[in-house]
Amino acid sequence: MDDMSQFREMFFEEAQEHLETMETFLLDYDPEGEPDIEALNSVFRAAHSIKGGSDIFGFKAMTGLTHVMENLLDSARNQELFLTNDLITVLLETIDLLKIILNNYHEEIEIDWDEVESGKTRLKSVLQEAHDVQKEAVQKSPVQEEASELTASDAEDEGFGFFEQEIVDANDTELEDEGFGFFEQEVAGSNDSALDDEGFGFFEQETEEINGSSGLEDEGFGFFETASLEEETAEESQGYGFFQERLETDMASSSPSDQQSKEEIHPSQGNQMPSAVSTTKLTSAKEDKTPVVKGKAAAESKSSESASIRVETVKIDKLVNLVGELVITQSMLNLIGSEAQESIAEKMQTALTELERNTREIQEAVMSVRMLPISFVFNRFPRLVRDLSNKLTKNIELVIEGGSTEIDKNLVEKISDPLTHLIRNSVDHGIEPPAERIAKGKPEKGVVKLIASQRGGEIVITVSDDGAGLNKERILNKALEKGISLPDPLTDAAIWLLIFAPGFSTAAEVTDVSGRGVGMDVVRRNIEALGGRVSIESNQGVGTTFEIRLPLTLAILDGMCVENASQVFVIPLVNIVESIQPLESQIKVMQNRQLLWVRDEYWPLINLEEALYGGQHPVNISESIVVLVETAKRRYGLIVDGLLGQQQVVIKSLERHYRRVKGVAGATIMGDGSVALILDIESLVSSQSLELEEEIDHVILT
Amino acid sequence: MSSLPNSSAVHSVTKEFLAFVLGDETYALDIMSVKEIRGYEPVTKIANAPNYIKGVINLRGDIVPIVDLRIKFGVGEPSYNEWTIVIMLNIKDRILGIVVDGVSDVMNFEEEDIKPAPEFGAAFDSRYLDGLAAVDDLMVIVVDIEALVSSEELGLFDTVDTV
C-alpha cells in the first residue's frame, strides 16, 4: 500500500493547513460583534475535512475530537450558540490538541487517549454551559432549545458509537440514494436563512432517530459520516463519494440537480476501480480549501484543482542552482560577444541583449517560486500574543502590516524563532501591566506592531511596542553584575546592544514566558546567520523597536566588481554609498590613520589589500578609487585600484569545500570562469579600525 | 578447520594507491579518495589563509580550495609550471586539490605490505601516515589522506563551530 502512505502524507499536510485555517479564523473572530457566518462556515468546513480525512485513515482520536468540535461549530453557524471568548479559547486549545494528535499519528507515536477524552469532555462541558447560559439570557423558540440540547448531549455523546453502527448499515447500497437525497435536502434547508431553524431542527431530529433505531435517514447520515478504511473499497468509495457531495452541497446548494447526477456516478466509479477512491479523496480536500477564498465560484469550476501543485523543495533548489549556472554562462557569452568581428558584432549584440533579458526573467521567475508571503510566519503570532496576554493579564493588541511581503522560503523557516522571541519579549517586558499604563496616562491597551516591508534588496521587519522602553540603568547594572565589558563610548545604541550578550536578562523576575536571558543572544545569532542584522531603538516610557534587516534571497546578489592588485572582488551593492576619486585635499591624518573628508563627514580609510592579506601595502590614494561603504554598524572608505562595473553574481558558498573566511561573504564565478571573492563589509574591518571609527563618531559628537 | 591456516593471507584485502612525488620522496594515497588529476591553473587568493592554501578554483561550478603540500611540509620546491600536477580529492563529501610535483603510478598494496612508520623520517606527522611500503628499492610513504585533510593542523574545514 505505498499509494496509501503517499495519501497519508497528503492528509497530514492538508490537515495541518486546515488546523491553521481554523486558528486564523478563530483568532479573527470578534465575539462581541455580529456573528460572522462566513468565517464560521470556513472553520466548520476545515473541521469537517479533518474529520472526514482522519476517518478514512482510521485516526479515531482525531475523528472523535473534530466531531464534537464540528457540532459546536455547527450550532454556532446556525446562530443557536454565540461564540464567547471562553468558547474560542477552548476551541483553540482543542486545535492545539489536534495538532499534537496529528503529529503523533504522523510520527506513529502512541496516542494519549486520556488527553483526547478530556479534550472532548472539556468541549462538551463548555458547550453545555454556553447553552445553559445563553438559553437563559435569550429566550429562544422551543424548537431551537430542543435542538441545542440535542447538540450538546445526544449527538456528541453518541458521535462515535452510532457511526460505527452506521458502517454496517452502509453496506446496504440500495438505500444510499434516498439517504443522500434526504441529507442534501437538509443542507439546502439550512443554507436558506428563512428555513434555517426548521432545517436545523430537522437535522437534529434525524440524529435522534439514528440513535434510537435504524431507518432511512439512518443510512443517509451514516454515509455522510463514514468512510472507514477498514471497510471494503466499495463502501469506502461510496462513503467517500457522499462525503464529497456533502462538501459541494455546502458550497453551492443552488444546483441540487447537478449534484444528484454526480452522486449517481461516484459510487459506481468506486466500485469499478478502487484506485479512484484515493484520487477523489484528494480532490475533495483541495476543493474544500478553495471556498475560503473563492466562495461559491469554486463549486462551479472544477479547474481549481490544477491551480496549484505541491513540489518538493529539492526540485526547486536544483532549478535555482541551474539558473545560477545559466547566469554565469550568460555573462561568459557576453564577454566573448564583445570580441566578435565587425560583420556580426551588431547581430551578436542584439542576440546577447535578448539573452540577457530572458535570463534575468527566468531567474526572477524561478526565484519567485521560492518566495512566500511573510504572513506564513506572521500568522502564528496573533495566537501567541493572545495566549500570552491572557496569561499575563495584560491587554495587548497585535498589529500586523505588510504580511504580503515576499521572502525566500528558507528565510521564512528560519526567521520564525527570532521573531517569536522578540514578540514574547515585547509582550512580557515591553508592555506594562494595565494599571501601570493607566497611571502613566497611556491607553490601557498596549500595542505590539509587527511590520514587514521591502526596501531595495532587503526585507525589513520591525517589532515595536508602546511599552516602557529599555531601562538604561538596569542594563548597565546587569552588565556590570555579569562582568560584561562595557562599550566605549557609552552611546545609547551601544547600550541597547548589550541585551544581545549571552545570558543577559533584565527582567526583575523570571516568568515562564521569558526572562531567562537565553533568547536575545540566540535572536541575534540566528539573524546574523541569515546574513541579516538587527538594531534597537528605545525611548524610556515610549517604547522599543527592534529592526531586522534580511537579504531578499540567499542565492543571488547585485554587486559592484572592483579590481585590486589584479584580483577581482565583488562588493554587495546594498553596502555601497558611493564611489569617488579622492582629491589630495580631502585626505586627513589622525593617529597615523588616513581619513577621508566627504559630505561633511570623516570616513576612515581601509586598504583592501591590507584588510584581506595583512602587511603593509602603501598606495597613492589620490590615484585610487575609494568606495564608501556602510553597514548597520560601520561605515568606511575602501581603497581599491579600480571599478569594473555592476553585475549580478551567484553566491557560491566557500564553506561547502573550505571554511568560513573573515571578511568574505562567499565567492562567485565570473564570466571568464575565474573565481572572485564577495566581500563582507561588516566583518572585513578589524576591531582596531572599528575603535578608530567610534572615536571619530565621538569626536564629531562632542 | 585447520586446513586453511593461511586463508587470511590469501584473501588479504588489496587496496589500490595513487603514488605521487613531493621533492625526492614518493608518497601514496588511497585511490578511492581521488576525484581527478589535472594541471595547475591560476587560483584566486583567499583572505586570511595560511601560505600553503594557494587559493580557490572553479571546478565546474564548485569553489574548491587548493593546498600546496610542498609548502606545508617543506619538501621540494614550490614551483608552478606546466608539469605541476593537482590531485583533486573527494573526502567526506568535500572536494579539494593538492599540489604535487608529479604523479608516478598506481600501486597495489596488501595490508601487511604496509609497515608501521618510525616516529621520524617523513615530513608528515606520523598521525597522518598509514605506514611505509617497499616497492623494489623504492620506499613509499602511505598517507592517511582523510586524517591529514580533516586535521585541525591544516585548517581546511571549520572546526566544530555551530554558530
Side-chain angles (χ1 to χ4, degrees):
Chain A
M1 293 286 271
D2 267 348
D3 277 357
M4 229 40 235
S5 69
Q6 187 190 336
F7 294 126
R8 271 171 64 124
E9 276 311 306
M10 213 70 168
F11 167 73
F12 287 128
E13 270 180 45
E14 304 215 338
Q16 191 69 40
E17 275 169 28
H18 286 312
L19 288 173
E20 272 154 28
T21 311
M22 287 163 79
E23 200 171 336
T24 315
F25 276 108
L26 285 174
L27 285 170
D28 283 347
Y29 196 83
D30 177 14
E32 276 130 46
E34 193 63 16
D36 182 352
I37 302 300
E38 212 28 66
L40 287 172
N41 274 335
S42 300
V43 181
F44 177 82
R45 274 195 295 265
H48 185 77
S49 312
I50 297 173
K51 186 173 94 168
S54 59
D55 192 27
I56 286 167
F57 292 101
F59 301 151
K60 298 282 182 209
M62 291 200 83
T63 321
L65 210 52
T66 39
H67 179 75
V68 185
M69 213 167 167
E70 198 186 59
N71 279 330
L72 197 155
L73 289 165
D74 198 39
S75 352
R77 69 176 183 153
N78 287 311
Q79 299 192 36
E80 295 157 357
L81 176 81
F82 295 98
L83 281 191
T84 59
N85 211 11
D86 290 345
L87 267 176
I88 291 176
T89 306
V90 175
L91 281 172
L92 286 172
E93 280 166 11
T94 314
I95 290 171
D96 287 345
L97 182 57
L98 281 169
K99 281 182 181 167
I100 296 168
I101 297 171
L102 186 70
N103 191 50
N104 285 357
Y105 276 123
H106 198 177
E107 310 278 323
E108 295 182 347
I109 303 169
E110 194 58 41
I111 304 293
D112 187 349
W113 286 101
D114 292 345
E115 194 64 22
V116 176
E117 279 312 315
S118 71
K120 262 200 260 186
T121 321
R122 203 162 53 231
L123 261 185
K124 282 176 202 164
S125 66
V126 290
L127 183 62
Q128 186 63 57
E129 252 172 58
H131 269 298
D132 290 348
V133 173
Q134 289 178 15
K135 200 159 51 182
E136 280 164 32
V138 191
Q139 276 300 320
K140 287 190 181 183
S141 70
V143 179
Q144 271 177 322
E145 267 181 48
E146 186 196 346
S148 318
E149 271 165 32
L150 284 164
T151 326
S153 51
D154 296 26
E156 283 164 27
D157 291 343
E158 303 293 332
F160 253 133
F162 79 70
F163 99 64
E164 257 141 39
Q165 170 197 341
E166 246 50 76
I167 294 169
V168 185
D169 293 331
N171 291 336
D172 190 345
T173 42
E174 276 178 311
L175 292 167
E176 268 168 52
D177 281 358
E178 286 107 314
F180 187 75
F182 161 75
F183 182 69
E184 181 190 56
Q185 191 187 343
E186 167 252 312
V187 173
S190 72
N191 275 10
D192 187 330
S193 56
L195 292 168
D196 209 29
D197 288 349
E198 286 99 318
F200 191 76
F202 188 20
F203 178 59
E204 287 307 329
Q205 273 161 15
E206 172 216 354
T207 324
E208 195 184 29
E209 273 174 34
I210 290 164
N211 297 336
S213 63
S214 64
L216 216 56
E217 295 87 352
D218 210 334
E219 278 94 350
F221 196 73
F223 263 103
F224 157 49
E225 288 288 57
T226 342
S228 173
L229 256 199
E230 293 117 284
E231 291 303 302
E232 298 279 51
T233 338
E235 272 95 47
E236 220 179 285
S237 68
Q238 285 150 6
Y240 191 68
F242 277 101
F243 176 53
Q244 188 190 23
E245 286 318 312
R246 158 85 174 110
L247 293 172
E248 278 168 6
T249 332
D250 230 15
M251 289 176 227
S253 49
S254 50
S255 55
S257 60
D258 200 34
Q259 279 142 15
Q260 200 69 45
S261 61
K262 269 186 224 151
E263 172 213 348
E264 280 160 23
I265 296 161
H266 274 293
S268 59
Q269 269 180 345
N271 281 332
Q272 282 156 15
M273 17 183 241
S275 66
V277 179
S278 336
T279 326
T280 350
K281 202 183 307 158
L282 301 176
T283 319
S284 102
K286 279 222 178 76
E287 274 180 321
D288 190 35
K289 257 189 298 180
T290 19
V292 180
V293 195
K294 292 186 184 165
K296 295 195 172 178
E300 287 161 26
S301 65
K302 278 274 188 182
S303 64
S304 62
E305 284 168 47
S306 56
S308 71
I309 53 166
R310 286 175 192 277
V311 182
E312 283 171 59
T313 23
V314 193
K315 287 185 182 172
I316 295 173
D317 287 346
K318 182 152 188 224
L319 210 53
V320 171
N321 281 340
L322 286 174
V323 168
E325 297 300 315
L326 186 66
V327 171
I328 292 165
T329 321
Q330 189 263 324
S331 55
M332 220 181 267
L333 268 177
N334 254 351
L335 214 70
I336 300 165
S338 61
E339 291 166 13
Q341 294 296 313
E342 286 282 329
S343 54
I344 58 158
E346 199 180 323
K347 282 191 220 159
M348 187 78 169
Q349 218 48 55
T350 322
L352 282 175
T353 316
E354 186 83 350
L355 179 69
E356 189 176 340
R357 200 179 60 229
N358 289 342
T359 315
R360 190 174 267 266
E361 270 173 27
I362 290 183
Q363 187 195 315
E364 276 165 14
V366 169
M367 295 314 290
S368 75
V369 173
R370 277 165 59 105
M371 299 296 238
L372 290 174
I374 201 161
S375 54
F376 270 79
V377 189
F378 283 7
N379 279 349
R380 69 191 67 168
F381 295 131
R383 175 72 194 278
L384 179 79
V385 171
R386 185 184 192 275
D387 288 359
L388 286 183
S389 43
N390 275 351
K391 193 184 267 173
L392 299 165
T393 55
K394 289 180 181 178
N395 192 356
I396 296 171
E397 184 189 0
L398 178 71
V399 177
I400 293 181
E401 283 172 28
S404 60
T405 310
E406 291 200 321
I407 183 171
D408 195 279
K409 185 180 184 302
N410 286 349
L411 291 174
V412 163
E413 284 153 13
K414 289 172 187 154
I415 196 63
S416 165
D417 278 358
L419 282 180
T420 310
H421 272 298
L422 289 179
I423 289 173
R424 276 170 177 269
N425 207 60
S426 286
V427 171
D428 193 18
H429 305 317
I431 306 275
E432 312 93 328
E436 203 180 316
R437 288 184 68 89
I438 292 167
K440 282 183 182 171
K442 288 183 179 182
E444 189 196 335
K445 190 177 226 177
V447 176
V448 175
K449 278 190 185 164
L450 184 60
I451 301 169
S453 63
Q454 187 184 335
R455 278 183 225 162
E458 286 186 323
I459 295 282
V460 181
I461 304 171
T462 57
V463 178
S464 53
D465 62 66
D466 64 346
L470 295 175
N471 187 326
K472 205 179 290 184
E473 236 166 77
R474 216 151 75 189
I475 292 175
L476 288 175
N477 287 338
K478 195 78 177 184
L480 287 174
E481 189 187 305
K482 298 263 173 188
I484 298 166
S485 61
L486 294 179
D488 182 42
L490 270 178
T491 59
D492 275 9
I495 295 170
W496 305 149
L497 286 177
L498 281 174
I499 65 168
F500 288 122
F504 199 94
S505 175
T506 56
E509 56 188 284
V510 172
T511 64
D512 65 344
V513 178
S514 54
R516 287 192 189 82
V518 283
M520 294 310 270
D521 67 311
V522 176
V523 167
R524 183 161 74 169
R525 267 224 308 266
N526 285 358
I527 290 169
E528 285 181 353
L530 296 175
R533 307 183 295 276
V534 58
S535 58
I536 309 173
E537 234 176 81
S538 181
N539 286 312
Q540 188 96 45
V542 181
T544 311
T545 300
F546 290 88
E547 187 179 85
I548 301 170
R549 287 168 169 271
L550 292 171
L552 254 190
T553 161
L554 300 172
I556 289 177
L557 165 134
D558 274 308
M560 172 67 81
C561 299
V562 299
E563 194 181 14
N564 194 56
S566 57
Q567 206 181 330
V568 179
F569 297 93
V570 181
I571 302 174
L573 220 50
V574 284
N575 296 125
I576 298 181
V577 180
E578 68 172 305
S579 306
I580 58 162
Q581 200 156 15
L583 301 168
E584 199 76 55
S585 59
Q586 287 177 289
I587 299 160
K588 317 281 175 198
V589 176
M590 179 177 141
Q591 292 176 6
N592 279 332
R593 283 169 185 273
Q594 285 169 313
L595 302 177
L596 188 69
W597 175 252
V598 191
R599 298 168 169 259
D600 295 336
E601 273 183 296
Y602 285 107
W603 296 69
L605 287 176
I606 303 288
N607 183 326
L608 180 58
E609 189 70 12
E610 287 173 11
L612 285 177
Y613 305 107
Q616 294 285 318
H617 296 270
V619 285
N620 187 349
I621 297 175
S622 53
E623 279 173 21
S624 310
I625 300 278
V626 172
V627 183
L628 300 179
V629 290
E630 192 173 47
T631 72
K633 283 189 237 151
R634 301 162 186 203
R635 55 176 181 77
Y636 53 89
L638 205 57
I639 308 167
V640 300
D641 288 349
L643 300 180
L644 294 177
Q646 199 177 315
Q647 195 186 326
Q648 265 204 329
V649 297
V650 179
I651 304 174
K652 299 263 179 183
S653 145
L654 269 182
E655 287 130 82
R656 174 73 185 82
H657 299 292
Y658 183 50
R659 62 188 166 86
R660 198 161 51 224
V661 178
K662 188 175 162 288
V664 176
T668 189
I669 296 166
M670 303 303 287
D672 61 358
S674 67
V675 179
L677 299 181
I678 301 169
L679 299 178
D680 179 15
I681 298 304
E682 185 95 39
S683 70
L684 183 65
V685 288
S686 61
S687 51
Q688 260 185 332
S689 12
L690 180 74
E691 269 169 36
L692 180 70
E693 199 183 326
E694 277 178 357
E695 274 170 48
I696 296 159
D697 276 337
H698 206 52
V699 169
I700 293 166
L701 287 169
T702 47
Chain B
M1 287 281 217
S2 56
S3 59
L4 287 171
N6 288 329
S7 64
S8 65
V10 175
H11 296 282
S12 165
V13 197
T14 304
K15 272 164 87 180
E16 279 189 307
F17 290 85
L18 179 72
F20 59 95
V21 182
L22 291 179
D24 302 326
E25 298 166 11
T26 303
Y27 291 81
L29 56 84
D30 186 353
I31 207 161
M32 293 314 287
S33 53
V34 177
K35 185 178 164 68
E36 64 186 73
I37 296 166
R38 51 196 286 145
Y40 186 81
E41 57 185 285
V43 298
T44 300
K45 271 198 294 177
I46 320 184
N48 303 310
N51 62 345
Y52 56 85
I53 294 177
K54 297 305 297 176
V56 288
I57 62 159
N58 163 23
L59 186 75
R60 291 182 293 280
D62 275 311
I63 310 284
V64 300
I66 302 293
V67 182
D68 195 331
L69 291 180
R70 300 172 301 183
I71 300 175
K72 171 69 188 161
F73 298 107
V75 277
E77 277 300 306
S79 61
Y80 305 95
N81 53 39
E82 61 254 52
W83 297 286
T84 309
I85 297 290
V86 180
I87 305 174
M88 304 305 300
L89 301 170
N90 193 340
I91 285 160
K92 291 183 183 166
D93 222 19
R94 282 166 176 262
I95 303 168
L96 80 156
I98 56 172
V99 185
V100 297
D101 283 324
V103 172
S104 54
D105 209 351
V106 176
M107 299 171 172
N108 288 314
F109 294 134
E110 284 175 10
E111 249 169 61
E112 42 310 330
D113 291 343
I114 303 170
K115 309 283 184 256
E119 283 297 308
F120 58 93
F124 290 38
D125 191 298
S126 56
R127 270 178 298 168
Y128 312 133
L129 296 185
D130 272 348
L132 303 174
V135 180
D136 303 329
D137 284 343
L138 191 70
M139 184 187 77
V140 178
I141 303 158
V142 183
V143 181
D144 181 352
I145 196 71
E146 190 172 317
L148 174 67
V149 165
S150 37
S151 70
E152 243 173 80
E153 191 184 342
L154 223 50
L156 274 178
F157 303 159
D158 270 328
T159 41
V160 192
D161 178 9
T162 46
V163 176

